[in-house]
Amino acid sequence: MVDIYTDVDGILTADPRVVSEARQLAVVSYDEICNMAHNGAKVIHPRAVEIAMRAGIPVRVRSTFSDGEGTLVTHANAAEGHIGWSDRTVTGLAHVKGVTQIAVSAGGASLNPQLEVFRAMARNGISVDFINVMPAGVLYTVTDFDAPLAEKLLAEMGFEPRVRTGCAKVSVIGGGMNGEPGVMAKIVEALAERQIPILQSADSNTTIWVLVQEEDMAAALTALHSAFALHAVS
């Protein structure tokens, strides 16, 4: 067991500065906390979790300022022995601000615009995320910092990109969502009730991402936290 001491009591269901009902988690799996860390949660570095996971060493994240048990990070099969863990579809939420969405149409003289776009981004050190490649073109995101250069490069290549700045990526994370029907429906319903447009979405076995306007981010996180009853998790 490795104890990691920090200035908070453990890993929470969401950023408490944004979601007032965020709650401390008693246990999370390595995969869940890696996804939370990679998607904006700052309480632990994802590399530390990856090293512990490979070595099979449980990690406890706890506060320097209290005697609380903190949050145990372990393998999923070990976490299942904890009350309530196996009943969780969603474990927590994370977010990243300062995101720009770029849409590039495949029209024009280019024979392979998708390849040209991503080669140009790579050559100029621009990291891309949230990627959708379609016959009609590509849709992806970059940081707001990289957006002006990305737009300039695309214009020089003869493209007319549609650029939407000031977005935020909201991540819904949980080891129990794999194969569980209705998770995306609940996300769409929760955001629709708040009249929050989903600009783009993607998913993996343990995470569903939605892109929203940054001005809608706090309301989106609060709505999703409530929809998945994260105030009641343990």
Side-chain angles (χ1 to χ4, degrees), residues 18-47:
V18 180
V19 181
S20 61
E21 290 194 336
R23 293 292 182 268
Q24 181 184 329
L25 293 158
V27 60
V28 297
S29 70
Y30 293 119
D31 285 339
E32 287 173 326
I33 191 56
C34 273
N35 276 292
M36 292 174 76
H38 279 299
N39 287 289
K42 304 296 185 185
V43 73
I44 186 171
H45 196 284
R47 181 65 176 151

Side-chain angles (χ1 to χ4, degrees), residues 39 92-101 129-132 139 141 164 166-173 177 183-192 196-204 206-214 216-225 228:
N39 287 289
L93 310 174
H95 66 276
V96 176
K97 299 190 291 184
V99 177
T100 291
Q101 183 191 55
D129 191 18
F130 234 136
I131 303 163
N132 295 126
L139 186 65
T141 62
R164 189 194 299 265
C167 300
K169 182 171 74 168
V170 172
S171 304
V172 180
I173 299 157
M177 71 167 61
V183 179
M184 189 64 193
K186 187 174 287 189
I187 292 171
V188 172
E189 181 181 15
L191 299 185
I196 299 172
I198 296 175
L199 307 176
Q200 197 174 346
S201 68
D203 68 279
S204 71
T206 59
T207 307
I208 294 176
W209 300 273
V210 292
L211 191 71
V212 299
Q213 289 284 4
E214 194 169 309
D216 293 327
M217 184 195 75
L221 288 164
T222 299
L224 293 169
H225 200 274
F228 288 100

Side-chain angles (χ1 to χ4, degrees), residues 39-225:
N39 287 289
K42 304 296 185 185
V43 73
I44 186 171
H45 196 284
R47 181 65 176 151
V49 181
E50 290 166 3
I51 292 170
M53 179 170 58
R54 284 204 303 269
I57 300 172
V59 174
R60 190 172 293 277
V61 179
R62 59 201 317 173
S63 173
T64 307
F65 308 106
S66 74
D67 296 326
E69 288 295 312
T71 301
L72 176 65
V73 183
T74 186
H75 283 293
N77 57 0
E80 287 175 358
H82 292 259
I83 295 173
W85 189 89
S86 60
D87 297 328
R88 291 191 331 222
T89 300
V90 171
T91 293
L93 310 174
H95 66 276
V96 176
K97 299 190 291 184
V99 177
T100 291
Q101 183 191 55
I102 299 177
V104 182
S105 171
S110 173
L111 296 177
N112 197 335
Q114 295 91 342
L115 178 59
E116 291 182 18
V117 166
F118 292 124
R119 274 185 174 170
M121 298 299 107
R123 279 196 304 267
N124 289 275
I126 298 175
S127 178
V128 299
D129 191 18
F130 234 136
I131 303 163
N132 295 126
V133 177
M134 304 156 287
V138 294
L139 186 65
Y140 64 101
T141 62
V142 299
T143 65
D144 283 351
F145 177 82
D146 285 330
L149 175 57
E151 187 173 7
K152 176 176 178 290
L153 292 168
L154 292 168
E156 290 173 351
M157 296 164 64
F159 294 111
E160 297 179 357
R162 300 187 304 279
V163 177
R164 189 194 299 265
T165 60
C167 300
K169 182 171 74 168
V170 172
S171 304
V172 180
I173 299 157
M177 71 167 61
N178 187 22
E180 181 72 17
V183 179
M184 189 64 193
K186 187 174 287 189
I187 292 171
V188 172
E189 181 181 15
L191 299 185
E193 287 178 351
R194 298 288 188 97
Q195 298 183 325
I196 299 172
I198 296 175
L199 307 176
Q200 197 174 346
S201 68
D203 68 279
S204 71
N205 287 338
T206 59
T207 307
I208 294 176
W209 300 273
V210 292
L211 191 71
V212 299
Q213 289 284 4
E214 194 169 309
E215 63 195 33
D216 293 327
M217 184 195 75
L221 288 164
T222 299
L224 293 169
H225 200 274

